[in-house]
Structure formats: structure tokens, C-alpha cells
Amino acid sequence: MDWIQGFQRAVDYIEEHITEPLDIGNIARVMNISGYYYQKLFNVLCGFGVGEYIRNRRLALAGSELMATDERVIDIALKNCYDTPEGFKPAITKYHGVPPSAVRRRSHDKTFAKHCV
């Protein structure tokens, strides 16, 4: 397996398990390297850390769910690995620029909706 294929398999693993707690060591095992080297490789190839990637993917998915469903904010937060709404609200506000309730109200705004995909 070459490095690019291995790296893609690791990213695929992240995507398949995005709503579960993720461990860098388990992700790195997909490539048969250590967690330390996987984090370094991810940063070199992507320009940002694997933790930031995971966090941003979860926040994007949460925004999509807020816009597409009537599911409670706490349930969406828990599904995306946030233990409390107190941690989720500032994270989604920073990512989307508005609090969760405003994300839900903006579901009709096509410009905003593109940001959530």
C-alpha cells in the first residue's frame, strides 16, 4: 500500500466513525504507523491538525442536522461527541458564526447552507 492510499484509508476510517469517539492510535493503525507520525503526516499534507479536521467535520454535520431536522440541540450535540450543550453551543457558534438556534432558522438561506455541507 502506498502512502497516499493509506492516508485516504485513514481519512475514510475517520469519516466512517465520525459520530463515535476517535482515537488517533486507532486511526494511525490503518496506515501501520504511530499516532505521532500520523498527526505529523496529516498536518504536512493538509496544513492543519487531524483534531481540527475531526472537530470541523462534526460541526459541519451538526449544522446540517440542525437545518434538516427538528431534533433537539442536545441530541445533535451528543451524536457529534459533545458531552454537554455548554461545550457545543460555543463551538458551533464559532464555526458557523451564529448559535445553534440561528443555524436552524437559517436553513432557508442557500449561501449559509453551502457552508454546512
Side-chain angles (χ1 to χ4, degrees), residues 64-76:
S64 294
E65 284 186 63
L66 283 167
M67 290 175 21
T69 70
D70 290 329
E71 197 170 350
R72 295 181 324 155
V73 173
I74 183 65
D75 293 333
I76 292 172

Side-chain angles (χ1 to χ4, degrees), residues 39-74:
Q39 289 181 48
K40 290 284 192 189
L41 178 65
F42 194 99
N43 201 340
V44 166
L45 292 176
C46 298
F48 50 87
V50 66
E52 183 179 353
Y53 172 77
I54 292 168
R55 186 172 38 260
N56 287 341
R57 286 292 297 130
R58 287 176 175 162
L59 291 169
L61 291 171
S64 294
E65 284 186 63
L66 283 167
M67 290 175 21
T69 70
D70 290 329
E71 197 170 350
R72 295 181 324 155
V73 173
I74 183 65

Side-chain angles (χ1 to χ4, degrees), residues 5-42:
Q5 287 176 331
F7 184 78
Q8 184 59 55
R9 285 187 45 215
V11 171
D12 291 343
Y13 176 88
I14 292 170
E15 291 297 325
E16 290 168 11
H17 300 278
I18 196 74
T19 60
E20 304 166 19
L22 287 165
D23 177 75
I24 297 297
N26 290 339
I27 298 167
R29 274 189 211 96
V30 173
M31 288 187 69
N32 295 319
I33 61 175
S34 73
Y36 173 81
Y37 285 111
Y38 180 74
Q39 289 181 48
K40 290 284 192 189
L41 178 65
F42 194 99

